[in-house]
């Protein structure tokens, strides 16, 4: 009986050895892929695609790090880096990544500020006339309403233009250097861009424009006992003469020749 058991054990050992030899032979013949599982993720790609994927990941990582650093410097208190590279930080943040914490302010804004414009125009039939006030903010609000992806221009262009103007002018309305004059040009060009699309001014030559900021306090809700003033206040900006540079693309040439001189100018 012991001899039979020993023969069975020897046979099993020989079969295991033969199986191992066949497996090694297959690995040598068919390559390592037949003996080892395929890689996963980037390693499953060919070498050129691995390089492209690695470069793309590196670029994305660098962009994220730079963006986080710029946002941190923008919201952080004034320090040596922001004093030295503040302009570079602002160029990165504005206007797409502007940070605004008014939502979390203890005393949020309770006013609606709108920007309105009127123009002095010359037409062939009516001569020189002044239009009524046109609410530009209402146009932006109508474009934003029910729009899941509103334009950044529609949301902030007018507000930023007015802030730019007020911050670059003294209390008496005089411009503070070059930025003051740039803010006036910026507001004139925004006004001309909006007026150029109005059907009511089709064929008219806009000679001067004037803008104003209208502040309307938000009334208290019906359930509140708070009494607040709801009368709007107005801040008029000066009349500005329109130059050819202020007109939108395609309308840079003055329309004076097309509509002829105004009645007042014809008598001069």
């Amino acid at each position: 009986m012991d001899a039979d058991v020993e023969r069975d054990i020897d046979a099993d050992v020989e079969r295991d050895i033969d199986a191992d030899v066949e497996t090694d032979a297959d690995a040598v013949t068919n390559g390592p892929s037949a003996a080892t599982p395929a890689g996963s993720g980037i390693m499953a790609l060919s070498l050129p695609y691995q390089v492209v994927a690695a470069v793309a990941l590196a670029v994305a990582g660098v962009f994220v790090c730079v963006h986080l650093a710029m946002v941190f410097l923008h919201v952080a208190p004034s320090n040596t880096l922001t004093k030295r590279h503040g302009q570079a930080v602002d160029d990165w943040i504005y206007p797409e990544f502007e940070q605004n914490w008014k939502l979390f302010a203890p005393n949020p804004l309770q006013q609606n500020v709108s920007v309105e414009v009127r123009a002095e125009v010359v037409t062939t039939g009516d001569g020189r006339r002044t239009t009524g006030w046109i609410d530009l903010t209402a146009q932006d609000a109508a474009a934003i309403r029910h729009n899941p992806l509103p334009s950044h221009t529609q949301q902030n262009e007018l507000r930023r233009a007015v802030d730019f103007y007020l911050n670059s002018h003294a209390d008496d309305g005089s411009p503070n250097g070059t930025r003051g004059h740039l803010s006036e040009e910026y507001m004139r060009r925004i006004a001309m861009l909006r007026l150029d699309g109005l059907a009511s001014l089709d064929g008219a030559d806009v000679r001067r424009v004037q803008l104003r900021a209208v502040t309307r306090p938000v009334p208290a809700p019906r359930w509140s006992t708070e009494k607040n003033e709801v009368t709007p206040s107005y801040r008029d900006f000066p009349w500005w003469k329109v130059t050819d540079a202020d007109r939108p693309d395609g309308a840079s040439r003055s329309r004076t020749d097309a509509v002829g001189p105004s009645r007042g100018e014809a008598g001069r």
Side-chain angles (χ1 to χ4, degrees):
M1 181 64 66
D2 294 338
D4 294 337
V5 171
E6 289 179 357
R7 284 196 296 270
D8 292 338
I9 293 174
D10 293 339
D12 292 339
V13 171
E14 291 177 357
R15 284 196 296 269
D16 292 341
I17 293 174
D18 293 339
D20 293 340
V21 171
E22 290 177 358
T23 301
D24 294 340
D26 291 339
V28 172
T29 303
N30 300 325
S33 59
T36 58
S40 59
I42 295 179
M43 300 306 297
L45 302 174
S46 61
L47 181 59
Y49 288 104
Q50 289 182 18
V51 174
V52 172
V55 171
L57 290 175
V59 171
V62 171
F63 175 82
V64 170
C65 293
V66 171
H67 178 69
L68 292 177
M70 289 295 186
V71 173
F72 173 79
L73 292 175
H74 177 68
V75 300
S78 179
N79 54 68
T80 303
L81 286 176
T82 56
K83 290 178 181 179
R84 179 174 299 179
H85 305 290
Q87 186 60 47
V89 174
D90 290 343
D91 291 342
W92 180 276
I93 293 295
Y94 295 109
E96 286 82 4
F97 307 116
E98 179 182 1
Q99 304 296 308
N100 191 327
W101 306 108
K102 291 181 180 179
L103 176 64
F104 307 100
N107 185 21
L109 294 177
Q110 298 181 354
Q111 299 172 331
N112 287 325
V113 181
S114 59
V115 180
E116 300 179 351
V117 64
R118 64 178 177 176
E120 186 179 274
V121 300
V122 175
T123 59
T124 52
D126 300 332
R128 186 184 294 268
R129 66 182 179 89
T130 302
T131 68
W133 288 103
I134 302 169
D135 193 338
L136 302 181
T137 302
Q139 296 176 356
D140 288 347
I144 292 172
R145 190 173 293 112
H146 308 304
N147 185 356
L149 297 173
S151 166
H152 186 83
T153 300
Q154 294 166 342
Q155 298 180 76
N156 295 309
E157 181 182 55
L158 293 174
R159 177 181 62 84
R160 296 295 304 276
V162 172
D163 289 344
F164 182 26
Y165 176 86
L166 296 178
N167 292 332
S168 59
H169 282 71
D171 294 337
D172 59 357
S174 59
N176 296 329
T178 304
R179 289 181 59 84
H181 294 291
L182 287 176
S183 68
E184 295 176 4
E185 293 179 7
Y186 185 47
M187 295 190 69
R188 287 201 308 268
R189 295 180 183 184
I190 290 176
M192 289 300 300
L193 186 64
R194 303 297 185 90
L195 293 174
D196 186 66
L198 297 179
S200 59
L201 296 181
D202 187 24
D205 179 25
V206 180
R207 300 294 181 84
R208 297 195 303 163
V209 294
Q210 183 185 28
L211 292 96
R212 71 177 181 181
V214 184
T215 303
R216 296 180 175 88
V218 177
R222 290 176 295 179
W223 47 263
S224 175
T225 59
E226 180 183 358
K227 303 296 182 181
N228 58 345
E229 182 64 38
V230 295
T231 303
S233 59
Y234 302 89
R235 176 164 183 170
D236 294 343
F237 300 138
W239 278 99
W240 290 314
K241 182 179 178 180
V242 176
T243 65
D244 287 346
D246 298 327
R247 303 181 188 277
D249 293 341
S252 59
R253 183 180 61 85
S254 175
R255 300 189 183 93
T256 305
D257 296 337
V259 302
S262 64
R263 295 174 182 173
E265 292 174 341
R268 293 179 183 175

